[in-house]
Amino acid sequence: MSVIDSDRPTASAGRQDASPKSGWLRRRGAADSYMPYVLIVPATVVMLGVIGYPIFKLIQLSFQNVNAYLYLAAPALVRYIGFDGFTKVLSDQAFWQSVERSVLLTVEVVVLSIVLGLAFAVLLNRVSNWAKVTVVTVLMFVWAIPALVSGTVFSWLFNNTGGVIDYICYELGGKGMLDHNWFANPTQGLYVVVAACIVWGALPFLVIGLNAAMTQVPKELVEASKIDGASPWQSFRYVVVPVIRPFLLLSTALSFIWDFQVFAQIWALRQNSPEPGYQTIGVYLYAQGVASSHYSRSAVVSIAMIVLMLGVLVFYIRQVIKIGEQD
């Protein structure tokens, strides 16, 4: 037997030893590829139960004729009515007027909130640590106040009999503002008083979040832009904003969602009975659907709200996808 022949059994034995190991590795690789799907199964089941089932019931309710009487006293009379509920809601002029008010109020409030949030965040980034801690503590208290309470406080501030705002306007020279009724004109009451109340409640989240995002901007980039001759505004526009853009997009989207369906502040400011001129889509949903016990109609309005919000949030979703592709 030659040397080469003597080596053959050894190589063959080596292949026999490696074969079970490689098979085990292949099985482990296949198991690892399925492991992420196995791990997300519990979360998927919970999501379907918590989110999927209510959405299914909402859609089912929108195609039925359910009201308080049928729901509690005669459930056997509940039946499917097709798109009749959608037809009634979409042909109601008050619904489209509430949508128009909601869109205008949302755009105004979101723009004001983001601009003021950025301004206060920049200022907060320039003050001393003790001042920053004091301001953040105050903002946290403001953030903890319920929307109904803040609405009640603003109704006192803008009251035409003893309101603080009327007195301040009078002291500043507005002699005719001493007993001014801010709520007599729904346009003024909605787009001034209600907007101020919403912005006041939204600022703590935006200021704290934007200030935290600005702390992530590398100081070297800002210093380099100043050395290159950039003005403070140019440094903020071309250095700071691109870095904080992901949080800016997120906060804008969240502000839009929260402000579009605003209800509690208007309800408190108008003392639980808002006039037609104050009916945004959130108030319209409660007044027409829940308060009058027309549950199917409120389901239709809810679906319309979801569709409208998703239609606007398409821009945000596209921007998030672009940022993810760039990363």
Side-chain angles (χ1 to χ4, degrees):
M1 179 180 295
S2 65
V3 175
I4 296 177
D5 292 339
S6 63
D7 290 336
R8 286 176 181 172
T10 304
S12 175
R15 286 196 297 270
Q16 289 176 359
D17 293 340
S19 179
K21 185 176 181 180
S22 61
W24 177 79
L25 289 174
R26 285 196 299 272
R27 289 194 296 274
R28 180 174 178 178
D32 289 344
S33 64
Y34 289 110
M35 186 56 66
Y37 301 101
V38 175
L39 293 176
I40 66 172
V41 166
T44 304
V45 173
V46 173
M47 290 285 289
L48 289 176
V50 175
I51 298 178
Y53 181 72
I55 291 177
F56 166 74
K57 292 298 294 184
L58 182 69
I59 296 174
Q60 183 187 38
L61 194 60
S62 67
F63 288 100
Q64 294 177 331
N65 61 337
V66 180
N67 54 33
Y69 171 75
L70 295 178
Y71 182 74
L72 297 174
L77 297 179
V78 174
R79 59 184 177 83
Y80 286 92
I81 58 174
F83 288 94
D84 288 353
F86 288 89
T87 303
K88 289 180 181 178
V89 170
L90 298 180
S91 61
D92 187 359
Q93 188 178 3
F95 168 75
W96 292 109
Q97 289 174 344
S98 67
V99 171
E100 181 182 359
R101 290 189 200 97
S102 297
V103 172
L104 294 176
L105 181 64
T106 302
V107 171
E108 175 194 1
V109 170
V110 170
V111 171
L112 285 175
S113 300
I114 296 298
V115 171
L116 291 176
L118 278 171
F120 283 115
V122 171
L123 290 175
L124 195 62
N125 215 22
R126 295 171 179 268
V127 298
S128 59
N129 286 334
W130 69 267
K132 182 181 294 184
V133 171
T134 304
V135 173
V136 170
T137 303
V138 173
L139 289 174
M140 293 300 289
F141 277 110
V142 173
W143 200 356
I145 296 176
L148 280 173
V149 176
S150 62
T152 304
V153 171
F154 268 74
S155 70
W156 295 340
L157 292 175
F158 285 89
N159 198 319
N160 62 330
T161 55
V164 175
I165 302 301
D166 282 4
Y167 180 74
I168 293 174
C169 292
Y170 174 77
E171 289 294 322
L172 292 176
K175 301 301 181 183
M177 298 295 291
L178 188 57
D179 295 320
H180 180 67
N181 188 353
W182 292 85
F183 301 101
N185 184 352
T187 302
Q188 185 182 71
L190 185 65
Y191 298 109
V192 176
V193 183
V194 174
C197 183
I198 297 172
V199 171
W200 182 80
L203 279 181
F205 167 76
L206 294 172
V207 173
I208 294 174
L210 289 170
N211 178 256
M214 287 180 184
T215 59
Q216 304 303 313
V217 179
K219 294 182 180 178
E220 295 79 7
L221 292 178
V222 179
E223 293 297 330
S225 66
K226 291 179 180 178
I227 293 173
D228 290 340
S231 63
W233 165 249
Q234 288 173 328
S235 297
F236 178 79
R237 170 67 180 82
Y238 297 106
V239 177
V240 177
V241 171
V243 175
I244 67 172
R245 189 173 63 174
F247 181 80
L248 202 56
L249 287 173
L250 175 63
S251 57
T252 303
L254 291 176
S255 297
F256 175 82
I257 294 173
W258 294 334
D259 298 337
F260 187 75
Q261 54 188 352
V262 63
F263 167 77
Q265 292 92 334
I266 299 175
W267 197 256
L269 280 166
R270 299 313 302 137
Q271 300 174 351
N272 304 336
S273 57
E275 298 85 348
Y278 287 91
Q279 285 198 354
T280 58
I281 192 168
V283 178
Y284 177 86
L285 166 65
Y286 186 85
Q288 301 295 324
V290 180
S292 59
S293 301
H294 291 148
Y295 303 140
S296 292
R297 187 165 185 169
S298 63
V300 173
V301 178
S302 299
I303 292 175
M305 288 178 64
I306 294 172
V307 172
L308 288 171
M309 284 193 290
L310 289 178
V312 176
L313 290 176
V314 166
F315 172 77
Y316 163 73
I317 296 171
R318 290 182 60 187
Q319 291 299 315
V320 171
I321 293 174
K322 286 182 179 178
I323 292 174
E325 291 175 348
Q326 291 173 358
D327 293 340

